[in-house]
Amino acid sequence: GPTGPLSQRSGYDVIISAMYGLMSITGSEESGPVKTGVALTDVLTGTLANSAILAALHQRNATGKGQRVDASLMESQLAGLVNIAGSSLNTTNFKPKRWGTAHASIVPYQAFVCSCGEALVIGAGNDVQYQHLCKVLLLGTANNDDDSRLLLKEDRFATNSERVQHRHVLIPLLERLFRQRTRDEWLQVIKEYSASTNGGVETALFPHGPIRSVPEAFACEQALHRDMVMEMEHPELAEPI
C-alpha cells in the first residue's frame, strides 16, 4: 500500500502470497508450500480495483465528488483468505493444514486418480450426496466390489462428521475404487446414473468434474457455448489469433 513500514517495497505476486498467508495453505503436507499456477493475487487486486473504480464513479455521479482509489496486493491477499482469515482471527491457536485438493471439514471432497492417470474431483457436501456417490461406485466397480458395498453399510461413513473422523480409512478405499475405470468412463457412469435417477434429466446428484488441461478447458462445450474463445484478425500476423 501507499503508506506503512513496507510501502517502499515493490510488490510481486509470489512474494505477497508467501508473506500474507496464501502459501501457508497451498500444496499438501507432503509437498510443502506451492505457488498457484497463475498470479491469483495480481488478478484479485485488479478485480478489487475495478470494483473500487466503479464505486468511485458512482459516488462522483451521485455527489459530484471524486474518490482516491487505493488497492494493494497485501490487502487483497489478506481479504482473499476469506474463511481461513475468519477462523484465524476468531480461533485461539489456529493453524490451518495443507490439504492438497481435499477439504478440512467435508469428506470426500477431493481429486481421485483414475486408471488412465487422469483425475476426477468428487464432492459429497452432504450425506444424501454421499449415498449417490456410493451407488455410482457400486455400478461402476467390478462385480459390485466388496469395498463399494462397504461404503454404504459402514456406520463410520454414514455422516460427514464420521467420514471426517475416519478419513484415513475412507479415502484409500475410494482411491482404489476410482482406479478401476478411466476418468471418462466414470463420467459416463455418473451421467447414466443421474439420468436414470432423475427421470432422464442429467442433473448432477453430487458435485463432480474432471481435472482438465487448459486446452481441454477452452475446448469444452460450455466454454464454447459462452463464447469464451473468439478469433480475430491481427494486422501483423498471417493467421488469426
Side-chain angles (χ1 to χ4, degrees), residues 87-136:
S87 296
S88 177
L89 293 170
N90 294 288
T91 306
T92 304
N93 298 323
F94 177 75
K95 187 177 181 181
K97 291 177 60 176
R98 294 186 176 91
W99 288 101
T101 64
H103 195 286
S105 58
I106 302 174
V107 176
Y109 205 92
Q110 65 184 80
F112 293 95
V113 178
C114 303
S115 64
C116 58
E118 301 292 341
L120 192 64
V121 176
I122 296 293
N126 58 55
D127 298 334
V128 173
Q129 290 178 348
Y130 174 74
Q131 291 168 13
H132 285 305
L133 169 62
C134 292
K135 291 173 184 177
V136 163

mmCIF file of all heavy atoms in Angstrom, residues 87-136:
data_model
loop_
_atom_site.group_PDB
_atom_site.id
_atom_site.type_symbol
_atom_site.label_atom_id
_atom_site.label_comp_id
_atom_site.label_asym_id
_atom_site.label_seq_id
_atom_site.Cartn_x
_atom_site.Cartn_y
_atom_site.Cartn_z
ATOM 1 N N SER A 87 -11.387 -17.723 10.517
ATOM 2 C CA SER A 87 -11.030 -18.697 11.548
ATOM 3 C C SER A 87 -9.773 -18.272 12.301
ATOM 4 O O SER A 87 -9.683 -18.420 13.521
ATOM 5 C CB SER A 87 -10.807 -20.070 10.908
ATOM 6 O OG SER A 87 -12.003 -20.554 10.334
ATOM 7 N N SER A 88 -8.806 -17.733 11.582
ATOM 8 C CA SER A 88 -7.560 -17.300 12.210
ATOM 9 C C SER A 88 -7.788 -16.173 13.207
ATOM 10 O O SER A 88 -7.198 -16.152 14.289
ATOM 11 C CB SER A 88 -6.565 -16.852 11.141
ATOM 12 O OG SER A 88 -5.377 -16.358 11.718
ATOM 13 N N LEU A 89 -8.669 -15.242 12.849
ATOM 14 C CA LEU A 89 -8.913 -14.072 13.694
ATOM 15 C C LEU A 89 -9.801 -14.387 14.890
ATOM 16 O O LEU A 89 -9.787 -13.650 15.881
ATOM 17 C CB LEU A 89 -9.543 -12.955 12.860
ATOM 18 C CG LEU A 89 -8.643 -12.345 11.777
ATOM 19 C CD1 LEU A 89 -9.457 -11.426 10.860
ATOM 20 C CD2 LEU A 89 -7.478 -11.575 12.398
ATOM 21 N N ASN A 90 -10.553 -15.475 14.793
ATOM 22 C CA ASN A 90 -11.543 -15.748 15.834
ATOM 23 C C ASN A 90 -11.329 -17.055 16.584
ATOM 24 O O ASN A 90 -12.159 -17.436 17.414
ATOM 25 C CB ASN A 90 -12.955 -15.757 15.214
ATOM 26 C CG ASN A 90 -13.360 -14.390 14.707
ATOM 27 O OD1 ASN A 90 -13.645 -13.491 15.497
ATOM 28 N ND2 ASN A 90 -13.377 -14.219 13.393
ATOM 29 N N THR A 91 -10.205 -17.732 16.315
ATOM 30 C CA THR A 91 -9.920 -19.002 16.970
ATOM 31 C C THR A 91 -8.542 -18.949 17.615
ATOM 32 O O THR A 91 -7.565 -18.587 16.954
ATOM 33 C CB THR A 91 -9.972 -20.162 15.962
ATOM 34 O OG1 THR A 91 -11.226 -20.144 15.275
ATOM 35 C CG2 THR A 91 -9.797 -21.497 16.662
ATOM 36 N N THR A 92 -8.457 -19.313 18.864
ATOM 37 C CA THR A 92 -7.173 -19.311 19.571
ATOM 38 C C THR A 92 -6.271 -20.423 19.042
ATOM 39 O O THR A 92 -6.726 -21.543 18.820
ATOM 40 C CB THR A 92 -7.390 -19.498 21.080
ATOM 41 O OG1 THR A 92 -8.274 -18.478 21.554
ATOM 42 C CG2 THR A 92 -6.066 -19.414 21.837
ATOM 43 N N ASN A 93 -5.017 -20.102 18.812
ATOM 44 C CA ASN A 93 -4.007 -21.060 18.363
ATOM 45 C C ASN A 93 -4.401 -21.756 17.061
ATOM 46 O O ASN A 93 -4.124 -22.942 16.852
ATOM 47 C CB ASN A 93 -3.747 -22.122 19.444
ATOM 48 C CG ASN A 93 -3.195 -21.535 20.723
ATOM 49 O OD1 ASN A 93 -2.404 -20.595 20.692
ATOM 50 N ND2 ASN A 93 -3.608 -22.073 21.868
ATOM 51 N N PHE A 94 -5.044 -21.008 16.183
ATOM 52 C CA PHE A 94 -5.468 -21.579 14.897
ATOM 53 C C PHE A 94 -4.273 -21.746 13.969
ATOM 54 O O PHE A 94 -3.500 -20.822 13.755
ATOM 55 C CB PHE A 94 -6.506 -20.658 14.237
ATOM 56 C CG PHE A 94 -6.957 -21.111 12.878
ATOM 57 C CD1 PHE A 94 -7.826 -22.183 12.756
ATOM 58 C CD2 PHE A 94 -6.512 -20.473 11.728
ATOM 59 C CE1 PHE A 94 -8.250 -22.607 11.503
ATOM 60 C CE2 PHE A 94 -6.940 -20.890 10.476
ATOM 61 C CZ PHE A 94 -7.808 -21.962 10.368
ATOM 62 N N LYS A 95 -4.115 -22.951 13.428
ATOM 63 C CA LYS A 95 -3.050 -23.214 12.472
ATOM 64 C C LYS A 95 -3.579 -24.156 11.397
ATOM 65 O O LYS A 95 -3.622 -25.369 11.569
ATOM 66 C CB LYS A 95 -1.827 -23.834 13.150
ATOM 67 C CG LYS A 95 -0.636 -23.959 12.205
ATOM 68 C CD LYS A 95 0.594 -24.514 12.914
ATOM 69 C CE LYS A 95 1.769 -24.608 11.956
ATOM 70 N NZ LYS A 95 2.983 -25.167 12.631
ATOM 71 N N PRO A 96 -3.985 -23.608 10.236
ATOM 72 C CA PRO A 96 -4.561 -24.461 9.191
ATOM 73 C C PRO A 96 -3.534 -25.395 8.583
ATOM 74 O O PRO A 96 -2.346 -25.082 8.521
ATOM 75 C CB PRO A 96 -5.071 -23.453 8.164
ATOM 76 C CG PRO A 96 -4.214 -22.242 8.359
ATOM 77 C CD PRO A 96 -3.920 -22.192 9.834
ATOM 78 N N LYS A 97 -4.001 -26.555 8.114
ATOM 79 C CA LYS A 97 -3.152 -27.525 7.448
ATOM 80 C C LYS A 97 -3.179 -27.304 5.941
ATOM 81 O O LYS A 97 -4.025 -26.588 5.412
ATOM 82 C CB LYS A 97 -3.647 -28.941 7.753
ATOM 83 C CG LYS A 97 -3.468 -29.388 9.178
ATOM 84 C CD LYS A 97 -4.054 -30.775 9.377
ATOM 85 C CE LYS A 97 -3.394 -31.823 8.494
ATOM 86 N NZ LYS A 97 -3.914 -33.186 8.755
ATOM 87 N N ARG A 98 -2.233 -27.935 5.278
ATOM 88 C CA ARG A 98 -2.266 -28.001 3.815
ATOM 89 C C ARG A 98 -3.021 -29.273 3.434
ATOM 90 O O ARG A 98 -2.657 -30.370 3.840
ATOM 91 C CB ARG A 98 -0.849 -28.032 3.247
ATOM 92 C CG ARG A 98 -0.070 -26.764 3.490
ATOM 93 C CD ARG A 98 1.277 -26.814 2.776
ATOM 94 N NE ARG A 98 1.969 -25.546 2.939
ATOM 95 C CZ ARG A 98 2.817 -25.264 3.933
ATOM 96 N NH1 ARG A 98 3.076 -26.207 4.845
ATOM 97 N NH2 ARG A 98 3.396 -24.094 4.018
ATOM 98 N N TRP A 99 -4.075 -29.102 2.631
ATOM 99 C CA TRP A 99 -4.942 -30.235 2.330
ATOM 100 C C TRP A 99 -4.823 -30.722 0.887
ATOM 101 O O TRP A 99 -5.552 -31.632 0.491
ATOM 102 C CB TRP A 99 -6.400 -29.866 2.617
ATOM 103 C CG TRP A 99 -6.704 -29.764 4.072
ATOM 104 C CD1 TRP A 99 -6.815 -28.632 4.823
ATOM 105 C CD2 TRP A 99 -6.910 -30.850 4.980
ATOM 106 N NE1 TRP A 99 -7.094 -28.934 6.139
ATOM 107 C CE2 TRP A 99 -7.161 -30.301 6.261
ATOM 108 C CE3 TRP A 99 -6.909 -32.239 4.847
ATOM 109 C CZ2 TRP A 99 -7.405 -31.093 7.379
ATOM 110 C CZ3 TRP A 99 -7.147 -33.023 5.962
ATOM 111 C CH2 TRP A 99 -7.398 -32.448 7.205
ATOM 112 N N GLY A 100 -3.959 -30.137 0.084
ATOM 113 C CA GLY A 100 -3.917 -30.533 -1.319
ATOM 114 C C GLY A 100 -5.243 -30.218 -1.984
ATOM 115 O O GLY A 100 -5.733 -29.096 -1.892
ATOM 116 N N THR A 101 -5.875 -31.207 -2.627
ATOM 117 C CA THR A 101 -7.204 -30.978 -3.218
ATOM 118 C C THR A 101 -8.328 -31.288 -2.235
ATOM 119 O O THR A 101 -9.498 -31.100 -2.558
ATOM 120 C CB THR A 101 -7.405 -31.849 -4.475
ATOM 121 O OG1 THR A 101 -7.379 -33.235 -4.103
ATOM 122 C CG2 THR A 101 -6.323 -31.582 -5.510
ATOM 123 N N ALA A 102 -7.995 -31.791 -1.049
ATOM 124 C CA ALA A 102 -9.024 -32.205 -0.090
ATOM 125 C C ALA A 102 -9.553 -31.011 0.709
ATOM 126 O O ALA A 102 -9.088 -29.878 0.563
ATOM 127 C CB ALA A 102 -8.468 -33.267 0.852
ATOM 128 N N HIS A 103 -10.537 -31.284 1.556
ATOM 129 C CA HIS A 103 -11.220 -30.261 2.351
ATOM 130 C C HIS A 103 -11.087 -30.614 3.825
ATOM 131 O O HIS A 103 -11.152 -31.788 4.205
ATOM 132 C CB HIS A 103 -12.695 -30.200 1.950
ATOM 133 C CG HIS A 103 -13.415 -28.970 2.424
ATOM 134 N ND1 HIS A 103 -13.788 -28.790 3.740
ATOM 135 C CD2 HIS A 103 -13.823 -27.868 1.752
ATOM 136 C CE1 HIS A 103 -14.413 -27.633 3.861
ATOM 137 N NE2 HIS A 103 -14.441 -27.050 2.670
ATOM 138 N N ALA A 104 -10.930 -29.591 4.649
ATOM 139 C CA ALA A 104 -10.713 -29.842 6.078
ATOM 140 C C ALA A 104 -11.931 -30.439 6.765
ATOM 141 O O ALA A 104 -11.791 -31.273 7.674
ATOM 142 C CB ALA A 104 -10.309 -28.539 6.767
ATOM 143 N N SER A 105 -13.130 -30.056 6.342
ATOM 144 C CA SER A 105 -14.320 -30.444 7.097
ATOM 145 C C SER A 105 -15.389 -31.146 6.269
ATOM 146 O O SER A 105 -16.506 -31.347 6.746
ATOM 147 C CB SER A 105 -14.934 -29.210 7.774
ATOM 148 O OG SER A 105 -15.258 -28.217 6.817
ATOM 149 N N ILE A 106 -15.081 -31.509 5.022
ATOM 150 C CA ILE A 106 -16.018 -32.281 4.187
ATOM 151 C C ILE A 106 -15.255 -33.455 3.591
ATOM 152 O O ILE A 106 -14.192 -33.274 2.992
ATOM 153 C CB ILE A 106 -16.615 -31.427 3.047
ATOM 154 C CG1 ILE A 106 -17.336 -30.198 3.605
ATOM 155 C CG2 ILE A 106 -17.577 -32.267 2.219
ATOM 156 C CD1 ILE A 106 -17.813 -29.240 2.526
ATOM 157 N N VAL A 107 -15.787 -34.648 3.740
ATOM 158 C CA VAL A 107 -15.152 -35.866 3.218
ATOM 159 C C VAL A 107 -16.226 -36.750 2.594
ATOM 160 O O VAL A 107 -17.251 -37.004 3.240
ATOM 161 C CB VAL A 107 -14.419 -36.629 4.338
ATOM 162 C CG1 VAL A 107 -13.839 -37.947 3.793
ATOM 163 C CG2 VAL A 107 -13.297 -35.784 4.929
ATOM 164 N N PRO A 108 -16.012 -37.221 1.338
ATOM 165 C CA PRO A 108 -14.907 -36.898 0.440
ATOM 166 C C PRO A 108 -15.153 -35.592 -0.306
ATOM 167 O O PRO A 108 -16.288 -35.268 -0.640
ATOM 168 C CB PRO A 108 -14.900 -38.086 -0.523
ATOM 169 C CG PRO A 108 -16.343 -38.517 -0.590
ATOM 170 C CD PRO A 108 -16.906 -38.269 0.782
ATOM 171 N N TYR A 109 -14.086 -34.889 -0.575
ATOM 172 C CA TYR A 109 -14.167 -33.630 -1.320
ATOM 173 C C TYR A 109 -12.767 -33.359 -1.867
ATOM 174 O O TYR A 109 -12.037 -32.527 -1.346
ATOM 175 C CB TYR A 109 -14.610 -32.502 -0.383
ATOM 176 C CG TYR A 109 -15.284 -31.330 -1.063
ATOM 177 C CD1 TYR A 109 -16.667 -31.305 -1.213
ATOM 178 C CD2 TYR A 109 -14.554 -30.253 -1.537
ATOM 179 C CE1 TYR A 109 -17.305 -30.228 -1.816
ATOM 180 C CE2 TYR A 109 -15.183 -29.173 -2.135
ATOM 181 C CZ TYR A 109 -16.550 -29.164 -2.269
ATOM 182 O OH TYR A 109 -17.170 -28.097 -2.875
ATOM 183 N N GLN A 110 -12.380 -34.107 -2.927
ATOM 184 C CA GLN A 110 -11.016 -34.025 -3.414
ATOM 185 C C GLN A 110 -10.884 -34.720 -4.762
ATOM 186 O O GLN A 110 -11.852 -35.248 -5.305
ATOM 187 C CB GLN A 110 -10.066 -34.680 -2.417
ATOM 188 C CG GLN A 110 -10.274 -36.181 -2.246
ATOM 189 C CD GLN A 110 -9.365 -36.740 -1.174
ATOM 190 O OE1 GLN A 110 -9.656 -36.616 0.017
ATOM 191 N NE2 GLN A 110 -8.259 -37.355 -1.589
ATOM 192 N N ALA A 111 -9.660 -34.728 -5.280
ATOM 193 C CA ALA A 111 -9.374 -35.383 -6.555
ATOM 194 C C ALA A 111 -9.024 -36.848 -6.339
ATOM 195 O O ALA A 111 -8.375 -37.210 -5.348
ATOM 196 C CB ALA A 111 -8.219 -34.669 -7.256
ATOM 197 N N PHE A 112 -9.460 -37.685 -7.292
ATOM 198 C CA PHE A 112 -9.118 -39.100 -7.289
ATOM 199 C C PHE A 112 -8.558 -39.470 -8.661
ATOM 200 O O PHE A 112 -9.162 -39.150 -9.690
ATOM 201 C CB PHE A 112 -10.345 -39.958 -6.976
ATOM 202 C CG PHE A 112 -10.857 -39.779 -5.579
ATOM 203 C CD1 PHE A 112 -11.888 -38.883 -5.311
ATOM 204 C CD2 PHE A 112 -10.297 -40.483 -4.525
ATOM 205 C CE1 PHE A 112 -12.362 -38.692 -4.027
ATOM 206 C CE2 PHE A 112 -10.772 -40.312 -3.227
ATOM 207 C CZ PHE A 112 -11.791 -39.404 -2.979
ATOM 208 N N VAL A 113 -7.420 -40.125 -8.651
ATOM 209 C CA VAL A 113 -6.771 -40.533 -9.898
ATOM 210 C C VAL A 113 -7.437 -41.803 -10.415
ATOM 211 O O VAL A 113 -7.688 -42.751 -9.652
ATOM 212 C CB VAL A 113 -5.264 -40.768 -9.682
ATOM 213 C CG1 VAL A 113 -4.609 -41.251 -10.973
ATOM 214 C CG2 VAL A 113 -4.597 -39.489 -9.198
ATOM 215 N N CYS A 114 -7.718 -41.822 -11.719
ATOM 216 C CA CYS A 114 -8.391 -42.965 -12.337
ATOM 217 C C CYS A 114 -7.364 -43.858 -13.042
ATOM 218 O O CYS A 114 -6.166 -43.569 -13.047
ATOM 219 C CB CYS A 114 -9.438 -42.456 -13.320
ATOM 220 S SG CYS A 114 -10.653 -41.340 -12.547
ATOM 221 N N SER A 115 -7.832 -44.936 -13.646
ATOM 222 C CA SER A 115 -6.916 -45.923 -14.211
ATOM 223 C C SER A 115 -6.082 -45.366 -15.353
ATOM 224 O O SER A 115 -4.993 -45.870 -15.630
ATOM 225 C CB SER A 115 -7.698 -47.151 -14.691
ATOM 226 O OG SER A 115 -8.578 -46.802 -15.753
ATOM 227 N N CYS A 116 -6.571 -44.321 -16.010
ATOM 228 C CA CYS A 116 -5.856 -43.727 -17.141
ATOM 229 C C CYS A 116 -4.784 -42.741 -16.699
ATOM 230 O O CYS A 116 -4.033 -42.221 -17.530
ATOM 231 C CB CYS A 116 -6.846 -43.017 -18.056
ATOM 232 S SG CYS A 116 -7.798 -41.713 -17.227
ATOM 233 N N GLY A 117 -4.720 -42.460 -15.409
ATOM 234 C CA GLY A 117 -3.774 -41.476 -14.909
ATOM 235 C C GLY A 117 -4.357 -40.084 -14.786
ATOM 236 O O GLY A 117 -3.756 -39.204 -14.155
ATOM 237 N N GLU A 118 -5.514 -39.847 -15.402
ATOM 238 C CA GLU A 118 -6.216 -38.572 -15.249
ATOM 239 C C GLU A 118 -7.048 -38.603 -13.963
ATOM 240 O O GLU A 118 -7.327 -39.671 -13.422
ATOM 241 C CB GLU A 118 -7.119 -38.301 -16.456
ATOM 242 C CG GLU A 118 -6.386 -38.254 -17.788
ATOM 243 C CD GLU A 118 -5.465 -37.068 -17.900
ATOM 244 O OE1 GLU A 118 -5.640 -36.096 -17.135
ATOM 245 O OE2 GLU A 118 -4.556 -37.105 -18.749
ATOM 246 N N ALA A 119 -7.442 -37.417 -13.504
ATOM 247 C CA ALA A 119 -8.119 -37.338 -12.205
ATOM 248 C C ALA A 119 -9.520 -36.747 -12.323
ATOM 249 O O ALA A 119 -9.821 -35.976 -13.238
ATOM 250 C CB ALA A 119 -7.290 -36.518 -11.226
ATOM 251 N N LEU A 120 -10.322 -37.111 -11.356
ATOM 252 C CA LEU A 120 -11.703 -36.652 -11.238
ATOM 253 C C LEU A 120 -11.872 -36.061 -9.850
ATOM 254 O O LEU A 120 -11.443 -36.653 -8.861
ATOM 255 C CB LEU A 120 -12.633 -37.851 -11.421
ATOM 256 C CG LEU A 120 -14.126 -37.649 -11.611
ATOM 257 C CD1 LEU A 120 -14.402 -36.886 -12.902
ATOM 258 C CD2 LEU A 120 -14.817 -39.008 -11.644
ATOM 259 N N VAL A 121 -12.463 -34.876 -9.773
ATOM 260 C CA VAL A 121 -12.734 -34.264 -8.472
ATOM 261 C C VAL A 121 -14.165 -34.603 -8.067
ATOM 262 O O VAL A 121 -15.103 -34.396 -8.840
ATOM 263 C CB VAL A 121 -12.536 -32.739 -8.504
ATOM 264 C CG1 VAL A 121 -12.919 -32.120 -7.156
ATOM 265 C CG2 VAL A 121 -11.085 -32.404 -8.828
ATOM 266 N N ILE A 122 -14.297 -35.135 -6.868
ATOM 267 C CA ILE A 122 -15.590 -35.582 -6.353
ATOM 268 C C ILE A 122 -15.889 -34.839 -5.061
ATOM 269 O O ILE A 122 -15.016 -34.680 -4.207
ATOM 270 C CB ILE A 122 -15.582 -37.101 -6.068
ATOM 271 C CG1 ILE A 122 -15.384 -37.901 -7.360
ATOM 272 C CG2 ILE A 122 -16.853 -37.530 -5.351
ATOM 273 C CD1 ILE A 122 -16.546 -37.804 -8.327
ATOM 274 N N GLY A 123 -17.125 -34.399 -4.903
ATOM 275 C CA GLY A 123 -17.538 -33.768 -3.659
ATOM 276 C C GLY A 123 -18.803 -34.412 -3.123
ATOM 277 O O GLY A 123 -19.709 -34.732 -3.884
ATOM 278 N N ALA A 124 -18.856 -34.622 -1.817
ATOM 279 C CA ALA A 124 -20.081 -35.086 -1.159
ATOM 280 C C ALA A 124 -20.365 -34.106 -0.032
ATOM 281 O O ALA A 124 -19.950 -34.314 1.107
ATOM 282 C CB ALA A 124 -19.930 -36.506 -0.643
ATOM 283 N N GLY A 125 -21.033 -33.024 -0.376
ATOM 284 C CA GLY A 125 -21.255 -31.950 0.581
ATOM 285 C C GLY A 125 -22.263 -32.266 1.655
ATOM 286 O O GLY A 125 -22.352 -31.556 2.658
ATOM 287 N N ASN A 126 -23.038 -33.320 1.457
ATOM 288 C CA ASN A 126 -23.986 -33.755 2.486
ATOM 289 C C ASN A 126 -24.152 -35.269 2.388
ATOM 290 O O ASN A 126 -23.614 -35.917 1.478
ATOM 291 C CB ASN A 126 -25.326 -33.021 2.359
ATOM 292 C CG ASN A 126 -25.958 -33.222 0.991
ATOM 293 O OD1 ASN A 126 -26.172 -34.346 0.536
ATOM 294 N ND2 ASN A 126 -26.270 -32.111 0.322
ATOM 295 N N ASP A 127 -24.903 -35.837 3.304
ATOM 296 C CA ASP A 127 -24.999 -37.296 3.385
ATOM 297 C C ASP A 127 -25.784 -37.895 2.221
ATOM 298 O O ASP A 127 -25.501 -39.013 1.787
ATOM 299 C CB ASP A 127 -25.620 -37.712 4.717
ATOM 300 C CG ASP A 127 -24.763 -37.279 5.899
ATOM 301 O OD1 ASP A 127 -23.534 -37.132 5.710
ATOM 302 O OD2 ASP A 127 -25.320 -37.075 7.001
ATOM 303 N N VAL A 128 -26.769 -37.172 1.699
ATOM 304 C CA VAL A 128 -27.517 -37.664 0.535
ATOM 305 C C VAL A 128 -26.601 -37.739 -0.685
ATOM 306 O O VAL A 128 -26.623 -38.725 -1.438
ATOM 307 C CB VAL A 128 -28.739 -36.764 0.256
ATOM 308 C CG1 VAL A 128 -29.410 -37.162 -1.051
ATOM 309 C CG2 VAL A 128 -29.734 -36.845 1.405
ATOM 310 N N GLN A 129 -25.793 -36.718 -0.875
ATOM 311 C CA GLN A 129 -24.848 -36.739 -1.988
ATOM 312 C C GLN A 129 -23.861 -37.895 -1.841
ATOM 313 O O GLN A 129 -23.505 -38.548 -2.828
ATOM 314 C CB GLN A 129 -24.103 -35.410 -2.074
ATOM 315 C CG GLN A 129 -24.973 -34.246 -2.521
ATOM 316 C CD GLN A 129 -24.222 -32.926 -2.553
ATOM 317 O OE1 GLN A 129 -23.111 -32.812 -2.033
ATOM 318 N NE2 GLN A 129 -24.833 -31.918 -3.161
ATOM 319 N N TYR A 130 -23.439 -38.168 -0.633
ATOM 320 C CA TYR A 130 -22.534 -39.289 -0.399
ATOM 321 C C TYR A 130 -23.195 -40.614 -0.785
ATOM 322 O O TYR A 130 -22.557 -41.483 -1.394
ATOM 323 C CB TYR A 130 -22.090 -39.322 1.062
ATOM 324 C CG TYR A 130 -21.263 -40.531 1.408
ATOM 325 C CD1 TYR A 130 -19.937 -40.628 0.984
ATOM 326 C CD2 TYR A 130 -21.812 -41.588 2.123
ATOM 327 C CE1 TYR A 130 -19.183 -41.757 1.276
ATOM 328 C CE2 TYR A 130 -21.062 -42.723 2.422
ATOM 329 C CZ TYR A 130 -19.747 -42.796 1.994
ATOM 330 O OH TYR A 130 -19.007 -43.921 2.277
ATOM 331 N N GLN A 131 -24.466 -40.778 -0.453
ATOM 332 C CA GLN A 131 -25.169 -42.009 -0.801
ATOM 333 C C GLN A 131 -25.246 -42.184 -2.319
ATOM 334 O O GLN A 131 -25.088 -43.290 -2.833
ATOM 335 C CB GLN A 131 -26.565 -41.995 -0.182
ATOM 336 C CG GLN A 131 -26.559 -42.113 1.342
ATOM 337 C CD GLN A 131 -27.908 -41.814 1.961
ATOM 338 O OE1 GLN A 131 -28.920 -41.742 1.272
ATOM 339 N NE2 GLN A 131 -27.933 -41.635 3.269
ATOM 340 N N HIS A 132 -25.483 -41.087 -3.039
ATOM 341 C CA HIS A 132 -25.498 -41.166 -4.503
ATOM 342 C C HIS A 132 -24.123 -41.562 -5.029
ATOM 343 O O HIS A 132 -24.015 -42.374 -5.962
ATOM 344 C CB HIS A 132 -25.923 -39.828 -5.104
ATOM 345 C CG HIS A 132 -27.392 -39.542 -4.997
ATOM 346 N ND1 HIS A 132 -28.350 -40.409 -5.481
ATOM 347 C CD2 HIS A 132 -28.068 -38.485 -4.476
ATOM 348 C CE1 HIS A 132 -29.555 -39.909 -5.269
ATOM 349 N NE2 HIS A 132 -29.405 -38.741 -4.650
ATOM 350 N N LEU A 133 -23.076 -41.006 -4.459
ATOM 351 C CA LEU A 133 -21.718 -41.377 -4.859
ATOM 352 C C LEU A 133 -21.491 -42.868 -4.650
ATOM 353 O O LEU A 133 -20.929 -43.554 -5.531
ATOM 354 C CB LEU A 133 -20.700 -40.565 -4.061
ATOM 355 C CG LEU A 133 -19.237 -41.012 -4.177
ATOM 356 C CD1 LEU A 133 -18.746 -40.897 -5.621
ATOM 357 C CD2 LEU A 133 -18.353 -40.188 -3.243
ATOM 358 N N CYS A 134 -21.912 -43.387 -3.519
ATOM 359 C CA CYS A 134 -21.742 -44.814 -3.239
ATOM 360 C C CYS A 134 -22.464 -45.673 -4.275
ATOM 361 O O CYS A 134 -21.938 -46.711 -4.719
ATOM 362 C CB CYS A 134 -22.253 -45.149 -1.847
ATOM 363 S SG CYS A 134 -21.279 -44.437 -0.510
ATOM 364 N N LYS A 135 -23.641 -45.260 -4.687
ATOM 365 C CA LYS A 135 -24.411 -46.024 -5.674
ATOM 366 C C LYS A 135 -23.727 -45.986 -7.039
ATOM 367 O O LYS A 135 -23.743 -46.985 -7.784
ATOM 368 C CB LYS A 135 -25.837 -45.493 -5.743
ATOM 369 C CG LYS A 135 -26.632 -45.785 -4.473
ATOM 370 C CD LYS A 135 -27.992 -45.106 -4.472
ATOM 371 C CE LYS A 135 -28.720 -45.348 -3.147
ATOM 372 N NZ LYS A 135 -30.026 -44.626 -3.088
ATOM 373 N N VAL A 136 -23.125 -44.862 -7.369
ATOM 374 C CA VAL A 136 -22.343 -44.779 -8.609
ATOM 375 C C VAL A 136 -21.171 -45.748 -8.558
ATOM 376 O O VAL A 136 -20.881 -46.457 -9.529
ATOM 377 C CB VAL A 136 -21.851 -43.330 -8.839
ATOM 378 C CG1 VAL A 136 -20.722 -43.288 -9.866
ATOM 379 C CG2 VAL A 136 -23.004 -42.451 -9.292
#
